Every structure is written in C-alpha cells, then in structure tokens.
Amino acid sequence: MRTAGDLASYDDGYDVESTPLARAAQHSILARQETGRREAAFQRPESTRIMVVANQKGGVGKTTSTVNVAAALAQLGQRVLVLDLDPQGNASTALSVEHRRGVPSTYDALVDGQPLVDIAQPCPDLDGLYVIPATIDLAGAEIELVSVVAREGRLRKAIHAHPWVGSAAEAGEERFDYVFIDCPPSLGLLTLNALVAGDEMMIPIQAEYYALEGLGQLLETVDMVRAHLNPRLAVSTILVTMYDARTRLAAGVAEEVREHFGDQVLRTAIPRSVRVSEAPSYGQTVMTYDPGSPGALSYFEAAREIAVRGVRS
C-alpha cells in the first residue's frame, strides 16, 4: 500500500539531490502545466469512460475523491465532466461552480429532460474540467420520478445524448474522456440512476471497520443492477481513503479489502490530510489549493493508476 511519503521519495528522473518536498513541488508543477514526460504517458481513452462514485455510507471521502481524481485527470490533459447527483451539492462547491436554487442543474436534466450540454459549467480553476451542478431541488427528484416510465434510465439517456460523450468517431476530439457521477450517501433512485448510467464504479472505502459493514449491501445492489438493468457495470476501482499509516486498524482494514478485491484496489491510499479538508472551504480541490501536499500527491497518483489500468471487470 503506497502512501504520500512513498510518492514523495519516488525517483522518476527528477533531481535526486533535492528534498522530498522539492520533488513533490516538481511533480505538482509538471501536473499543472500539463507538460513533461507525464503528459506523453497518458493517451486519451478511445471512448468516454463513465464512472460512478458510490458508497451508501457517508463520510468515506466519496465526494472528495470524485472532485480530486477528476481534477488530477484534468491536470494530466484529460477532458472530464463531473456530474453532481447529491442534493447537498458538495462537489459543485469544491469545483467552484454556482449551484444555488434556480441554477440549471441535474434536477432539470432528470425531471424536465433538459440537455446536459445546456447545463454544464466550466470549472474556473482547471481547463478541460466541466461540472453539472446539483441544487437542493434535487432532494425532491426521487418523489417526482416515482410515476415516470423508465425512471431508472433517465440519467443514462441524458448522458449519452451529450454530443461530447462517446467514441472518437462519434464525438470527435472535443469528447469527454471521463464522466464522474458523484452519488448521494444512499441507495435510492438517484444512485440507481447512476448505476444504470455508468460503465464502471469507483468505491471509496474509509480505512476503518465500520466502512466494511455496509459494503456487502452495496455490492448486492450492484449485482442486481447488473443482472436486470445494466450488464456492463463493473466495479473497476476500490480506493482506500483516510488512511493513517500509524495505526494497525488502518493497515488491517486495507489488507482485508485487498485480500477480498485483489487488483481492483488501487495501490495508492489517500492519507488523512487537513489540506484536503480545507480546500472545499476555499471553493477548490486540493489539487489547486495545495498541489504539493501529501493528499494532492496521493490523489494525483490514484488518478494516474485509474488512467493506466483502464476497465477491470
């Protein structure tokens, strides 16, 4: 299990005489400039990868992981869309886009069928990163969709209707390379829409015992969706968050997760970090708030793993 300390001391051609902090700064500068050898290593996927980020347990770093992985991929030259499906709108806050009541949002796409291309807002901090915000109106969407025919497939229909979603032949060079759907901490109709819409699933798991208890229920839901609604859905990525290398508990939980899920678990764990927690209060991700911090380095490496590994079923 790699942590930020391992990443900071990793030598990939930078000045070996520099300190770990200096090397970390060099990593982040290259990332933000989208230059150097990193850029050449990350070719765009052949078609848009639609990733659902879900875990019905709250407080596991789901939204934090969504926005920071998306930001890191944008720093690597990828074109990314973040779709905020949580009525709290935390992903919209972290990416500094307007999401007050009345702003066109995921609610309008799900309930009224408004095209996503008319709703998407560019993230002001990063080129190539776009956001479909969520407003508090989304809290009533599940009730309003109860009587709608094929209600569980409305998000999938909306995403695939976007002109920038698809293969290179279908959507051209302007296509999105990644679509991340940030789900609410529940297994309701909003999350079901996300699971039907996605091709891949990323599950953040907090490195504590309670985080494992609800995982079985989530995976049962995924199996049901795969059997009846979306056979393409694959749990491609497990991300261990809030990892504290000083405790045996964190190491034990990470080891148990790795034994059960194998290669689906990213080698990089996200450490507990004050800077990661501070960033949203400034309307930023940690990737722009403090790109040389351990949390930013870890999310950068996690994003690189996701880009390299591709889809795993």
Side-chain angles (χ1 to χ4, degrees):
M1 183 69 70
R2 287 188 294 183
T3 61
D6 301 321
L7 302 178
S9 61
Y10 176 67
D11 175 24
D12 60 355
Y14 297 105
D15 181 8
V16 295
E17 298 298 324
S18 62
T19 65
L21 181 59
R23 285 197 295 273
Q26 288 174 307
H27 276 265
S28 62
I29 290 170
L30 285 179
R32 297 181 71 178
Q33 293 178 338
E34 299 175 7
T35 58
R37 287 175 295 178
R38 288 175 180 246
E39 185 178 4
F42 292 96
Q43 296 182 353
R44 303 177 66 184
E46 294 182 0
S47 61
T48 305
R49 294 176 62 182
I50 303 175
M51 302 190 71
V52 181
V53 186
N55 191 329
Q56 82 273 21
K57 186 182 185 304
V60 298
K62 176 173 50 58
T63 296
T64 300
S65 297
T66 300
V67 299
N68 284 298
V69 169
L73 287 167
Q75 289 177 333
L76 287 167
Q78 307 293 294
R79 290 174 57 83
V80 185
L81 174 67
V82 173
L83 198 151
D84 193 348
L85 205 59
D86 189 342
Q88 299 176 88
N90 291 336
S92 306
T93 298
L95 295 173
S96 195
V97 298
E98 189 68 51
H99 61 101
R100 56 181 170 77
R101 172 166 278 173
V103 171
S105 66
T106 46
Y107 171 87
D108 300 281
L110 284 173
V111 176
D112 298 330
Q114 187 170 341
L116 293 182
V117 69
D118 297 335
I119 302 173
Q121 300 182 37
C123 175
D125 295 325
L126 289 165
D127 293 335
L129 179 57
Y130 294 81
V131 187
I132 306 291
T135 66
I136 193 62
D137 294 331
L138 195 59
E142 293 194 0
I143 297 174
E144 296 184 51
L145 291 173
V146 165
S147 59
V148 176
V149 176
R151 56 188 178 272
E152 69 279 350
R154 291 181 70 86
L155 184 61
R156 176 175 176 80
K157 182 178 178 181
I159 291 175
H160 284 273
H162 197 295
W164 292 352
V165 172
S167 65
E170 296 166 342
E173 289 302 307
E174 287 192 328
R175 73 186 183 279
F176 289 124
D177 300 301
Y178 295 85
V179 173
F180 286 93
I181 306 173
D182 182 41
C183 296
S186 69
L187 293 178
L189 185 55
L190 293 177
T191 299
L192 179 61
N193 259 267
L195 294 176
V196 173
D199 299 320
E200 304 178 55
M201 189 172 181
M202 181 171 78
I203 305 176
I205 298 178
Q206 185 180 2
E208 293 185 3
Y209 175 74
Y210 284 145
L212 298 176
E213 288 195 323
L215 192 57
Q217 183 182 359
L218 176 61
L219 294 177
E220 287 178 7
T221 302
V222 171
D223 288 340
M224 287 191 293
V225 170
R226 188 184 289 133
H228 300 289
L229 296 170
N230 183 9
R232 302 167 306 281
L233 184 63
V235 179
S236 63
T237 306
I238 306 290
L239 177 62
V240 177
T241 62
M242 305 182 193
Y243 183 79
D244 189 344
R246 299 170 300 176
T247 67
R248 292 183 180 179
L249 175 62
V253 170
E255 184 61 29
E256 187 173 345
V257 170
R258 187 171 298 283
E259 287 179 1
H260 189 274
F261 292 100
D263 290 342
Q264 292 166 295
V265 185
L266 296 184
R267 291 176 296 166
T268 304
I270 308 302
R272 287 189 175 275
S273 171
V274 173
R275 307 302 271 176
V276 171
S277 301
E278 284 178 350
S281 65
Y282 293 90
Q284 297 184 57
T285 67
V286 74
M287 308 307 297
T288 56
Y289 177 66
D290 189 356
S293 65
L297 282 173
S298 297
Y299 272 119
F300 193 96
E301 184 67 10
R304 187 164 66 171
E305 280 192 64
I306 291 170
V308 169
R309 290 163 62 150
V311 180
R312 291 177 182 268
S313 58

